[in-house]
Amino acid sequence: MLAAMPPTPTPTPAPGAPRVRERGDACPGALRLHSADDGHLARLRLPAGRLTVRQVEVMARAAETLGDGRISVTSRGNAELRGLAGDCGAELAALLAEAGLLPSPTHERVRNIVASPAAGLDGLGAADVQLWARELDERLCAAPWAAALSGRFLFVLDDGRGDVTGLGGDVTLVAVAPGAALLRLGDRTVRVAAADAPRAALAAARAFLTAAREAGTGAWRVRELPEGSGVDVRAALTTAGIASEPVREPLPPHGAPPALAPGPLGPAALHVLAPLGRFTAGRLRALLPADEVRFTPWRGAVVVGADPGRLPALEAHGLITRPDSPWVGVSACTGRPGCAKSLADVRADAVPGRPGLPVHYSGCERRCGHPHGDWVDVLAAPGGGYLVDGAPVPRTDLTPAVTTARTAPRTAPRTTR
């Protein structure tokens, strides 16, 4: 087992200059643990956020017996275990492998696949992209070259409702009727048959790797490719034996996607949110019984096979079950004492304000885990207090300041931090 040292950040390039990655990607995984102030951290990739009942129980047990008893859900629907001992790597790996959560040790960090969490459950969408996600994951793990992808490279599969299209995917697939999909890589969009969609996504990722090697800048993401080194998506698909045609009107640019609201999803599924994106082991087990559980990019879980009548019991466990809850859209980084870079215990200081724009509490200027699109930026300041969208605010005045920021009209989205 490897425990990654905290990586040295790559300097931000000058405007117009390409980013040059001079080191390998040190993104944590299930086998590459990251050292933090509260112990070691493991990040578990969960394609489409999917967990079987057995895997839910194993994850809860791992959190209790090896970690701090909590499971954090990331903005990609993956899971993090914290507070791990440095020598628990072999035991953790054995638990995960036995439960089917570690199908490929060589590829475990590149299985970053987000898919519309409600696909196939509520009658919306043009295709069940959860099925695409399973096929893509199998093909990804079976391709030796795919292990060279960065642990940050992201596949996004949208069933046509537009809930995950704007989540910043490197390769984005959107289901469209009848029986087709749009594939976006960078600023190129093409149409392929729905049956070819998972193969097409993998072919596009391989074309990116080729372009990244030719550019020589060590790019981890498509947006890091130097100007002029675009990927010829159609040529890559033709080589893979996949028919495609260009699309005149590309997919909308990356922006704030509509979050899936907590509550019922059709007659036999529910969506609940974890407060500040963290489940305790007990709250995770409270999701059972279920046919399966799907972690969502909004730091919650879809419970498949659950009757809406279970919502009051889940709320009693401290989960967010109503769309009008002021805690919907409130997230935070790890903060103190878990992160040495943080200036504050942001989770203890977090307040919701009234419902409105998403709000994210950050302990330092890295703003780890912040939402996509427009959001309220609450940043810990040196010496105490916070900056709310850049304005100094004492800790005692956070509630009114955050309420105003979440509900005030904006002349322009604040999306760049």
Side-chain angles (χ1 to χ4, degrees), residues 24-413:
D25 175 24
C27 198
L31 300 180
R32 177 182 288 179
L33 306 185
H34 173 78
S35 179
D37 270 19
D38 57 350
H40 285 73
L41 174 155
R43 184 172 299 156
L44 283 58
R45 269 62 175 193
L46 307 174
R50 182 175 178 269
L51 291 165
T52 65
V53 171
R54 167 71 175 150
Q55 290 167 344
V56 169
E57 176 54 41
V58 166
M59 189 174 295
R61 178 151 49 93
E64 286 178 328
T65 60
L66 302 177
D68 63 4
R70 298 179 178 86
I71 302 95
S72 297
V73 183
T74 75
S75 60
R76 294 180 169 190
N78 291 321
E80 288 185 349
L81 302 177
R82 300 189 67 98
L84 300 168
D87 61 355
C88 79
E91 185 177 357
L92 176 63
L95 271 175
L96 299 178
E98 188 275 333
L101 287 167
L102 196 59
S104 172
T106 56
H107 290 62
E108 59 98 5
R109 293 190 312 132
V110 305
R111 301 169 66 227
N112 293 301
I113 303 173
V114 172
S116 297
L121 301 177
D122 58 2
L124 302 177
D128 186 351
V129 294
Q130 291 281 324
L131 301 179
W132 291 0
R134 295 176 201 180
E135 180 182 344
L136 175 57
D137 185 39
E138 290 175 359
R139 292 181 177 277
L140 187 69
C141 291
W145 59 264
L149 290 168
S150 160
R152 303 167 197 245
F153 192 90
L154 178 62
F155 297 91
V156 169
L157 316 182
D158 192 298
D159 69 357
R161 75 184 68 206
D163 60 338
V164 296
T165 306
L167 291 182
D170 293 285
V171 176
T172 299
L173 287 174
V174 179
V176 293
L182 301 181
L183 183 150
R184 176 175 66 193
L185 188 145
D187 59 358
R188 308 283 180 87
T189 302
V190 299
R191 183 186 300 268
V192 298
D196 292 332
R199 283 201 308 132
L202 195 63
R206 188 168 195 172
F208 159 75
L209 279 180
T210 299
R213 283 194 297 268
E214 292 174 352
T217 58
W220 296 344
R221 307 287 308 273
V222 170
R223 64 173 178 261
E224 294 177 1
L225 289 172
E227 186 175 353
S229 60
V231 183
D232 191 338
V233 179
R234 294 199 69 197
L237 296 178
T238 298
T239 299
I242 300 169
S244 66
E245 60 182 32
V247 175
R248 289 186 178 179
E249 302 216 355
L251 293 175
H254 299 310
L260 185 66
L265 293 175
L270 310 171
H271 180 217
V272 296
L273 300 176
L276 296 178
R278 275 189 182 177
F279 285 95
T280 62
R283 284 174 177 167
L284 189 62
R285 288 192 180 101
L287 303 179
L288 304 179
D291 294 339
E292 68 179 35
V293 171
R294 303 173 183 176
F295 281 175
T296 74
W298 308 285
R299 295 182 169 87
V302 168
V303 187
V304 181
D307 185 277
R310 287 181 55 192
L311 285 170
L314 293 174
E315 187 171 16
H317 275 90
L319 296 168
I320 300 166
T321 63
R322 295 176 291 107
D324 60 351
S325 168
W327 287 100
V328 171
V330 182
S331 58
C333 71
T334 297
R336 297 296 301 161
C339 177
K341 295 183 182 294
S342 181
L343 300 177
D345 185 349
V346 292
R347 291 179 173 273
D349 291 342
V351 295
R354 285 198 298 272
L357 280 175
V359 56
H360 185 72
Y361 290 80
S362 302
C364 75
E365 292 185 351
R366 295 184 303 168
R367 297 174 171 87
C368 294
H370 71 74
H372 287 269
D374 195 11
W375 48 283
V376 176
D377 180 31
V378 184
L379 176 66
Y386 285 84
L387 300 176
V388 178
D389 282 337
V393 174
R395 181 180 286 105
T396 54
D397 292 342
L398 272 177
T399 297
V402 170
T403 293
T404 298
R406 293 192 78 183
T407 57
R410 299 199 175 205
T411 55

